[in-house]
Amino acid sequence: EKRVVNYILATKNHKIPSDISRSDNKNNDDDNNNVLECLKLFLDIDMAVLGKEESAYLHYASLIRQEYSFVDRETYCEKRADVLELFLQQETIYITQIMHDSL
């Protein structure tokens, strides 16, 4: 489904695409708002590991490294650091208040 694809693509930079709600349902503002709220929560869940204990994050990081095992170590570490730096430059890592308050 197009919505699932849009959600997964949004995890690339953890930003809400400006056209995401309009592309899912052009006729119903309530449905558009639900899509938007669900996407916000989806993105926050994707980032939740950053608020976990160190051991949970280290396990997650090892899985990400496995996913990118085709990339040499030096390049991987440089790019991974760039990604984490981008998250730190944001006003807040989490979009929803509930995730911000919980983690």
Side-chain angles (χ1 to χ4, degrees):
E1 181 174 311
K2 185 177 181 179
R3 185 177 300 170
V4 173
V5 171
N6 287 339
Y7 280 25
I8 292 169
L9 291 175
T11 64
K12 183 177 180 181
N13 60 15
H14 288 271
K15 303 263 186 226
I16 306 287
S18 60
D19 63 343
I20 191 86
S21 61
R22 291 188 301 274
S23 65
D24 283 316
N25 187 331
K26 297 178 182 176
N27 299 319
N28 189 322
D29 286 340
D30 287 338
D31 285 346
N32 288 342
N33 287 336
N34 286 338
V35 167
L36 191 57
E37 292 306 310
C38 287
L39 176 56
K40 289 177 182 179
L41 190 56
F42 179 81
L43 291 175
D44 278 356
I45 290 168
D46 189 51
M47 298 290 283
V49 71
L50 297 177
K52 297 284 186 180
E53 294 179 8
E54 182 179 3
S55 62
Y57 176 77
L58 291 175
H59 176 72
Y60 166 80
S62 72
L63 295 175
I64 296 296
R65 179 61 183 125
Q66 286 177 14
E67 184 178 345
Y68 288 92
S69 62
F70 61 92
V71 177
D72 69 89
R73 180 171 164 59
E74 184 177 337
T75 302
Y76 173 81
C77 290
E78 179 184 318
K79 297 301 180 184
R80 185 72 184 148
D82 289 347
V83 167
L84 295 173
E85 277 293 322
L86 285 174
F87 295 149
L88 290 174
Q89 291 173 12
Q90 297 177 27
E91 185 176 324
T92 180
I93 291 175
Y94 302 106
I95 301 168
T96 62
Q97 192 63 46
I98 192 165
M99 291 295 278
H100 181 75
D101 292 346
S102 298
L103 301 171

